[in-house]
Amino acid sequence: MRETPRSQGTASGAGPGLPQRCAGRAFAHTTGASGSGTPHRSDGRTPQTPRGARRPGQAGCLGTTPPVPRRPAFWRLLPPALCALLFALITWQVAAGGPLRSLDERIEHAIAGRGPRPLTELLADLGGLAVALPVLAASLAYTLVRDGGTRRYDALRVVLAMAAVPALVVPLKALIDRPGPLTEATGYYPSGHTATAMVAYGGAALLLAPYRGFRWTVPAAGVLTLATGTGLVLRGYHWPLDVLGSLCLGGVLLSLCRRRGGSRPVGSRPAGSRPAGSRPAGGQLQV
């Protein structure tokens, strides 16, 4: 087989030398014309999205680069609006003796007294002030001691929500004047124990969840609240609609306690942000 003859210049320059860099601006990371040492495009145009101009998106929205618009206020108001609508519907059915109240009473008569008495008593007591308020007080103390200056308004919102529970429940009990399942006494709608459990445990979870290692408080608050309502219904202390109405009322109060910025861990930086004075890769110092 014949070999392709090489040119004289190539043959004479053969050797173990380093590869030579061609002249021109085809290399992406060669020194620019101004000698600044920063990378530039081969055609001399500026990039469409400079590294220093990229900003993280708003907290709580999908995506961080490029920035996305803030979530509309409608979606933030939808959960409390739905809870308020359900609470109004249940209250109307209970007060007017509608079909939901008849179904509610049949269900309670079928399940009242079910389950072991010590366990159902314990579950019902989870909504008592002697149990729920110390949990909320401990979370308030932890939040104020750790980040009192930055989260005092979060703590204040939770305290106001807890104070609103008796301010709303007591007049409604007197107004609806519903008798209990196993007694002739009245004033059972809505359930004060359920509302207390939901706001106290839910408020504690809202205060602690932003800290690292406390994300479990949110599902724990839900379990404790549902356990309280289950114990009240099984023991015959409340009708099921008493519990459901209080869950809707507590949902409204807790929705008003949520911070607008989401549940990003306290003290952490948003994704894509840099501390002041850091030098991005391939760029200059950003202050």
Side-chain angles (χ1 to χ4, degrees):
M1 179 181 289
R2 295 180 59 186
E3 296 182 357
T4 304
R6 292 182 297 175
S7 62
Q8 294 291 334
T10 305
S12 61
L18 297 175
Q20 301 295 321
R21 185 169 64 178
C22 300
R25 300 185 59 149
F27 287 86
H29 294 283
T30 56
T31 304
S34 61
S36 61
T38 58
H40 59 77
R41 296 168 61 93
S42 59
D43 54 3
R45 294 180 298 170
T46 58
Q48 295 180 356
T49 308
R51 184 184 299 271
R54 296 178 182 174
R55 297 173 298 174
Q58 301 291 341
C61 298
L62 297 177
T64 55
T65 303
V68 294
R70 185 182 292 274
R71 186 175 300 165
F74 169 78
W75 296 108
R76 296 196 302 269
L77 297 177
L78 184 60
L82 290 177
C83 289
L85 181 62
L86 288 176
F87 178 72
L89 175 63
I90 294 173
T91 304
W92 167 59
Q93 286 289 298
V94 171
L100 285 181
R101 176 168 175 169
S102 300
L103 176 62
D104 176 54
E105 293 175 352
R106 290 198 299 269
I107 293 175
E108 175 61 23
H109 289 315
I111 64 176
R114 298 289 183 89
R117 183 185 180 91
L119 177 60
T120 54
E121 287 277 2
L122 176 63
L123 296 180
D125 289 339
L126 291 176
L129 295 178
V131 179
L133 282 187
V135 175
L136 179 61
S139 65
L140 287 168
Y142 180 86
T143 302
L144 293 177
V145 169
R146 179 166 176 174
D147 294 292
T150 57
R151 302 202 63 205
R152 60 182 181 272
Y153 293 112
D154 295 343
L156 179 61
R157 284 194 292 266
V158 173
V159 170
L160 292 178
M162 192 68 243
V165 170
L168 295 174
V169 169
V170 173
L172 284 171
K173 282 178 176 290
L175 180 63
I176 304 300
D177 201 29
R178 187 183 191 186
L182 303 178
T183 179
E184 295 297 328
T186 58
Y188 279 78
Y189 179 87
S191 169
H193 275 61
T194 305
T196 299
M198 186 169 187
V199 176
Y201 299 136
L206 290 178
L207 291 174
L208 297 178
Y211 298 107
R212 298 188 185 278
F214 283 94
R215 292 299 182 108
W216 56 270
T217 56
V218 175
V223 170
L224 291 174
T225 303
L226 293 178
T228 301
T230 302
L232 292 171
V233 171
L234 292 180
R235 285 301 310 134
Y237 293 152
H238 276 286
W239 307 96
L241 284 184
D242 300 346
V243 173
L244 291 178
S246 292
L247 291 177
C248 295
L249 180 61
V252 174
L253 297 176
L254 290 180
S255 297
L256 299 178
C257 292
R258 293 189 60 185
R259 57 165 46 192
R260 294 180 61 185
S263 58
R264 181 170 54 86
V266 175
S268 64
R269 298 190 305 273
S273 63
R274 303 188 188 93
S278 63
R279 185 185 300 274
Q284 297 181 355
L285 182 65
Q286 306 239 344
V287 181

PDB file of all heavy atoms in Angstrom, residues 252-276:
ATOM      1  N   VAL A 252     -58.970  28.378  58.341  1.00  0.00           N
ATOM      2  CA  VAL A 252     -58.975  29.808  58.015  1.00  0.00           C
ATOM      3  C   VAL A 252     -57.947  30.554  58.862  1.00  0.00           C
ATOM      4  O   VAL A 252     -57.156  31.362  58.355  1.00  0.00           O
ATOM      5  CB  VAL A 252     -60.382  30.400  58.219  1.00  0.00           C
ATOM      6  CG1 VAL A 252     -60.363  31.916  58.014  1.00  0.00           C
ATOM      7  CG2 VAL A 252     -61.368  29.753  57.256  1.00  0.00           C
ATOM      8  N   LEU A 253     -57.923  30.273  60.145  1.00  0.00           N
ATOM      9  CA  LEU A 253     -57.000  30.978  61.037  1.00  0.00           C
ATOM     10  C   LEU A 253     -55.548  30.654  60.727  1.00  0.00           C
ATOM     11  O   LEU A 253     -54.690  31.539  60.721  1.00  0.00           O
ATOM     12  CB  LEU A 253     -57.328  30.626  62.493  1.00  0.00           C
ATOM     13  CG  LEU A 253     -58.714  31.056  62.990  1.00  0.00           C
ATOM     14  CD1 LEU A 253     -58.956  30.568  64.407  1.00  0.00           C
ATOM     15  CD2 LEU A 253     -58.867  32.569  62.907  1.00  0.00           C
ATOM     16  N   LEU A 254     -55.251  29.393  60.446  1.00  0.00           N
ATOM     17  CA  LEU A 254     -53.866  29.025  60.140  1.00  0.00           C
ATOM     18  C   LEU A 254     -53.425  29.568  58.790  1.00  0.00           C
ATOM     19  O   LEU A 254     -52.242  29.906  58.607  1.00  0.00           O
ATOM     20  CB  LEU A 254     -53.710  27.503  60.171  1.00  0.00           C
ATOM     21  CG  LEU A 254     -53.794  26.857  61.546  1.00  0.00           C
ATOM     22  CD1 LEU A 254     -53.628  25.347  61.427  1.00  0.00           C
ATOM     23  CD2 LEU A 254     -52.729  27.421  62.488  1.00  0.00           C
ATOM     24  N   SER A 255     -54.338  29.658  57.833  1.00  0.00           N
ATOM     25  CA  SER A 255     -53.968  30.223  56.530  1.00  0.00           C
ATOM     26  C   SER A 255     -53.577  31.682  56.661  1.00  0.00           C
ATOM     27  O   SER A 255     -52.690  32.165  55.943  1.00  0.00           O
ATOM     28  CB  SER A 255     -55.133  30.077  55.547  1.00  0.00           C
ATOM     29  OG  SER A 255     -55.432  28.722  55.319  1.00  0.00           O
ATOM     30  N   LEU A 256     -54.188  32.392  57.561  1.00  0.00           N
ATOM     31  CA  LEU A 256     -53.830  33.792  57.779  1.00  0.00           C
ATOM     32  C   LEU A 256     -52.511  33.939  58.528  1.00  0.00           C
ATOM     33  O   LEU A 256     -51.931  35.030  58.549  1.00  0.00           O
ATOM     34  CB  LEU A 256     -54.949  34.492  58.562  1.00  0.00           C
ATOM     35  CG  LEU A 256     -56.317  34.520  57.873  1.00  0.00           C
ATOM     36  CD1 LEU A 256     -57.338  35.196  58.773  1.00  0.00           C
ATOM     37  CD2 LEU A 256     -56.233  35.215  56.525  1.00  0.00           C
ATOM     38  N   CYS A 257     -52.033  32.862  59.142  1.00  0.00           N
ATOM     39  CA  CYS A 257     -50.760  32.915  59.875  1.00  0.00           C
ATOM     40  C   CYS A 257     -49.556  32.629  58.994  1.00  0.00           C
ATOM     41  O   CYS A 257     -48.418  32.894  59.397  1.00  0.00           O
ATOM     42  CB  CYS A 257     -50.769  31.903  61.027  1.00  0.00           C
ATOM     43  SG  CYS A 257     -51.918  32.301  62.347  1.00  0.00           S
ATOM     44  N   ARG A 258     -49.763  32.074  57.808  1.00  0.00           N
ATOM     45  CA  ARG A 258     -48.629  31.679  56.969  1.00  0.00           C
ATOM     46  C   ARG A 258     -47.917  32.891  56.433  1.00  0.00           C
ATOM     47  O   ARG A 258     -48.535  33.878  56.041  1.00  0.00           O
ATOM     48  CB  ARG A 258     -49.109  30.805  55.812  1.00  0.00           C
ATOM     49  CG  ARG A 258     -49.644  29.458  56.233  1.00  0.00           C
ATOM     50  CD  ARG A 258     -49.889  28.592  55.026  1.00  0.00           C
ATOM     51  NE  ARG A 258     -48.676  28.369  54.279  1.00  0.00           N
ATOM     52  CZ  ARG A 258     -48.613  27.726  53.109  1.00  0.00           C
ATOM     53  NH1 ARG A 258     -49.734  27.291  52.568  1.00  0.00           N
ATOM     54  NH2 ARG A 258     -47.480  27.555  52.498  1.00  0.00           N
ATOM     55  N   ARG A 259     -46.595  32.814  56.383  1.00  0.00           N
ATOM     56  CA  ARG A 259     -45.807  33.902  55.832  1.00  0.00           C
ATOM     57  C   ARG A 259     -45.845  33.835  54.318  1.00  0.00           C
ATOM     58  O   ARG A 259     -45.919  32.760  53.719  1.00  0.00           O
ATOM     59  CB  ARG A 259     -44.365  33.844  56.327  1.00  0.00           C
ATOM     60  CG  ARG A 259     -43.634  32.549  56.046  1.00  0.00           C
ATOM     61  CD  ARG A 259     -42.144  32.664  56.223  1.00  0.00           C
ATOM     62  NE  ARG A 259     -41.778  33.356  57.445  1.00  0.00           N
ATOM     63  CZ  ARG A 259     -40.548  33.772  57.709  1.00  0.00           C
ATOM     64  NH1 ARG A 259     -39.593  33.570  56.834  1.00  0.00           N
ATOM     65  NH2 ARG A 259     -40.262  34.378  58.829  1.00  0.00           N
ATOM     66  N   ARG A 260     -45.756  34.991  53.669  1.00  0.00           N
ATOM     67  CA  ARG A 260     -45.886  35.059  52.220  1.00  0.00           C
ATOM     68  C   ARG A 260     -44.680  34.466  51.515  1.00  0.00           C
ATOM     69  O   ARG A 260     -44.742  34.041  50.385  1.00  0.00           O
ATOM     70  CB  ARG A 260     -46.073  36.511  51.785  1.00  0.00           C
ATOM     71  CG  ARG A 260     -47.369  37.129  52.253  1.00  0.00           C
ATOM     72  CD  ARG A 260     -47.495  38.540  51.803  1.00  0.00           C
ATOM     73  NE  ARG A 260     -47.480  38.633  50.352  1.00  0.00           N
ATOM     74  CZ  ARG A 260     -47.488  39.766  49.674  1.00  0.00           C
ATOM     75  NH1 ARG A 260     -47.486  40.915  50.332  1.00  0.00           N
ATOM     76  NH2 ARG A 260     -47.474  39.767  48.360  1.00  0.00           N
ATOM     77  N   GLY A 261     -43.506  34.455  52.147  1.00  0.00           N
ATOM     78  CA  GLY A 261     -42.294  34.003  51.479  1.00  0.00           C
ATOM     79  C   GLY A 261     -42.111  32.512  51.441  1.00  0.00           C
ATOM     80  O   GLY A 261     -41.076  32.039  50.995  1.00  0.00           O
ATOM     81  N   GLY A 262     -43.108  31.715  51.914  1.00  0.00           N
ATOM     82  CA  GLY A 262     -42.953  30.263  51.887  1.00  0.00           C
ATOM     83  C   GLY A 262     -42.288  29.771  53.156  1.00  0.00           C
ATOM     84  O   GLY A 262     -42.155  30.468  54.160  1.00  0.00           O
ATOM     85  N   SER A 263     -41.797  28.547  53.118  1.00  0.00           N
ATOM     86  CA  SER A 263     -41.209  27.911  54.295  1.00  0.00           C
ATOM     87  C   SER A 263     -39.745  27.613  54.080  1.00  0.00           C
ATOM     88  O   SER A 263     -39.247  26.565  54.445  1.00  0.00           O
ATOM     89  CB  SER A 263     -41.965  26.611  54.612  1.00  0.00           C
ATOM     90  OG  SER A 263     -41.915  25.737  53.504  1.00  0.00           O
ATOM     91  N   ARG A 264     -39.014  28.552  53.466  1.00  0.00           N
ATOM     92  CA  ARG A 264     -37.575  28.376  53.284  1.00  0.00           C
ATOM     93  C   ARG A 264     -36.898  28.367  54.644  1.00  0.00           C
ATOM     94  O   ARG A 264     -37.260  29.141  55.524  1.00  0.00           O
ATOM     95  CB  ARG A 264     -37.023  29.511  52.412  1.00  0.00           C
ATOM     96  CG  ARG A 264     -35.542  29.403  52.134  1.00  0.00           C
ATOM     97  CD  ARG A 264     -35.140  30.413  51.072  1.00  0.00           C
ATOM     98  NE  ARG A 264     -35.540  31.750  51.426  1.00  0.00           N
ATOM     99  CZ  ARG A 264     -34.819  32.571  52.180  1.00  0.00           C
ATOM    100  NH1 ARG A 264     -33.680  32.154  52.703  1.00  0.00           N
ATOM    101  NH2 ARG A 264     -35.240  33.782  52.445  1.00  0.00           N
ATOM    102  N   PRO A 265     -35.904  27.507  54.878  1.00  0.00           N
ATOM    103  CA  PRO A 265     -35.255  27.457  56.186  1.00  0.00           C
ATOM    104  C   PRO A 265     -34.743  28.818  56.609  1.00  0.00           C
ATOM    105  O   PRO A 265     -34.171  29.562  55.822  1.00  0.00           O
ATOM    106  CB  PRO A 265     -34.100  26.459  55.969  1.00  0.00           C
ATOM    107  CG  PRO A 265     -34.580  25.590  54.863  1.00  0.00           C
ATOM    108  CD  PRO A 265     -35.396  26.470  53.974  1.00  0.00           C
ATOM    109  N   VAL A 266     -34.964  29.159  57.878  1.00  0.00           N
ATOM    110  CA  VAL A 266     -34.546  30.451  58.392  1.00  0.00           C
ATOM    111  C   VAL A 266     -33.032  30.540  58.389  1.00  0.00           C
ATOM    112  O   VAL A 266     -32.325  29.629  58.821  1.00  0.00           O
ATOM    113  CB  VAL A 266     -35.082  30.643  59.827  1.00  0.00           C
ATOM    114  CG1 VAL A 266     -34.547  31.933  60.423  1.00  0.00           C
ATOM    115  CG2 VAL A 266     -36.589  30.642  59.812  1.00  0.00           C
ATOM    116  N   GLY A 267     -32.501  31.656  57.895  1.00  0.00           N
ATOM    117  CA  GLY A 267     -31.068  31.870  57.865  1.00  0.00           C
ATOM    118  C   GLY A 267     -30.369  31.350  56.638  1.00  0.00           C
ATOM    119  O   GLY A 267     -29.181  31.576  56.460  1.00  0.00           O
ATOM    120  N   SER A 268     -31.068  30.632  55.756  1.00  0.00           N
ATOM    121  CA  SER A 268     -30.454  30.112  54.534  1.00  0.00           C
ATOM    122  C   SER A 268     -30.692  31.072  53.402  1.00  0.00           C
ATOM    123  O   SER A 268     -31.628  31.858  53.406  1.00  0.00           O
ATOM    124  CB  SER A 268     -31.026  28.737  54.187  1.00  0.00           C
ATOM    125  OG  SER A 268     -32.397  28.866  53.903  1.00  0.00           O
ATOM    126  N   ARG A 269     -29.809  31.021  52.371  1.00  0.00           N
ATOM    127  CA  ARG A 269     -29.921  31.899  51.221  1.00  0.00           C
ATOM    128  C   ARG A 269     -30.733  31.223  50.144  1.00  0.00           C
ATOM    129  O   ARG A 269     -30.745  30.003  50.023  1.00  0.00           O
ATOM    130  CB  ARG A 269     -28.523  32.225  50.670  1.00  0.00           C
ATOM    131  CG  ARG A 269     -27.654  32.964  51.645  1.00  0.00           C
ATOM    132  CD  ARG A 269     -26.404  33.461  50.934  1.00  0.00           C
ATOM    133  NE  ARG A 269     -25.692  32.385  50.282  1.00  0.00           N
ATOM    134  CZ  ARG A 269     -24.776  31.633  50.878  1.00  0.00           C
ATOM    135  NH1 ARG A 269     -24.499  31.832  52.148  1.00  0.00           N
ATOM    136  NH2 ARG A 269     -24.153  30.677  50.225  1.00  0.00           N
ATOM    137  N   PRO A 270     -31.471  31.990  49.341  1.00  0.00           N
ATOM    138  CA  PRO A 270     -32.199  31.398  48.231  1.00  0.00           C
ATOM    139  C   PRO A 270     -31.256  30.725  47.258  1.00  0.00           C
ATOM    140  O   PRO A 270     -30.071  31.055  47.178  1.00  0.00           O
ATOM    141  CB  PRO A 270     -32.909  32.595  47.583  1.00  0.00           C
ATOM    142  CG  PRO A 270     -32.884  33.678  48.614  1.00  0.00           C
ATOM    143  CD  PRO A 270     -31.670  33.435  49.427  1.00  0.00           C
ATOM    144  N   ALA A 271     -31.778  29.775  46.473  1.00  0.00           N
ATOM    145  CA  ALA A 271     -30.968  29.071  45.491  1.00  0.00           C
ATOM    146  C   ALA A 271     -30.455  30.045  44.452  1.00  0.00           C
ATOM    147  O   ALA A 271     -31.171  30.876  43.919  1.00  0.00           O
ATOM    148  CB  ALA A 271     -31.797  27.977  44.810  1.00  0.00           C
ATOM    149  N   GLY A 272     -29.175  29.958  44.135  1.00  0.00           N
ATOM    150  CA  GLY A 272     -28.572  30.802  43.122  1.00  0.00           C
ATOM    151  C   GLY A 272     -27.979  32.077  43.656  1.00  0.00           C
ATOM    152  O   GLY A 272     -27.350  32.826  42.913  1.00  0.00           O
ATOM    153  N   SER A 273     -28.178  32.405  44.952  1.00  0.00           N
ATOM    154  CA  SER A 273     -27.626  33.635  45.494  1.00  0.00           C
ATOM    155  C   SER A 273     -26.216  33.397  45.987  1.00  0.00           C
ATOM    156  O   SER A 273     -25.825  32.290  46.330  1.00  0.00           O
ATOM    157  CB  SER A 273     -28.497  34.148  46.631  1.00  0.00           C
ATOM    158  OG  SER A 273     -28.506  33.208  47.684  1.00  0.00           O
ATOM    159  N   ARG A 274     -25.401  34.471  46.052  1.00  0.00           N
ATOM    160  CA  ARG A 274     -24.030  34.413  46.522  1.00  0.00           C
ATOM    161  C   ARG A 274     -23.867  35.391  47.660  1.00  0.00           C
ATOM    162  O   ARG A 274     -24.500  36.441  47.691  1.00  0.00           O
ATOM    163  CB  ARG A 274     -23.048  34.784  45.414  1.00  0.00           C
ATOM    164  CG  ARG A 274     -23.150  33.931  44.173  1.00  0.00           C
ATOM    165  CD  ARG A 274     -21.989  34.295  43.251  1.00  0.00           C
ATOM    166  NE  ARG A 274     -22.139  33.645  41.968  1.00  0.00           N
ATOM    167  CZ  ARG A 274     -22.738  34.193  40.922  1.00  0.00           C
ATOM    168  NH1 ARG A 274     -23.256  35.412  41.026  1.00  0.00           N
ATOM    169  NH2 ARG A 274     -22.848  33.548  39.787  1.00  0.00           N
ATOM    170  N   PRO A 275     -23.023  35.086  48.627  1.00  0.00           N
ATOM    171  CA  PRO A 275     -22.758  36.056  49.674  1.00  0.00           C
ATOM    172  C   PRO A 275     -22.046  37.269  49.109  1.00  0.00           C
ATOM    173  O   PRO A 275     -21.361  37.203  48.095  1.00  0.00           O
ATOM    174  CB  PRO A 275     -21.867  35.281  50.660  1.00  0.00           C
ATOM    175  CG  PRO A 275     -21.348  34.117  49.903  1.00  0.00           C
ATOM    176  CD  PRO A 275     -22.315  33.814  48.822  1.00  0.00           C
ATOM    177  N   ALA A 276     -22.222  38.417  49.775  1.00  0.00           N
ATOM    178  CA  ALA A 276     -21.594  39.651  49.314  1.00  0.00           C
ATOM    179  C   ALA A 276     -20.076  39.508  49.329  1.00  0.00           C
ATOM    180  O   ALA A 276     -19.481  38.986  50.268  1.00  0.00           O
ATOM    181  CB  ALA A 276     -22.013  40.823  50.217  1.00  0.00           C
TER     182      ALA A 276
END
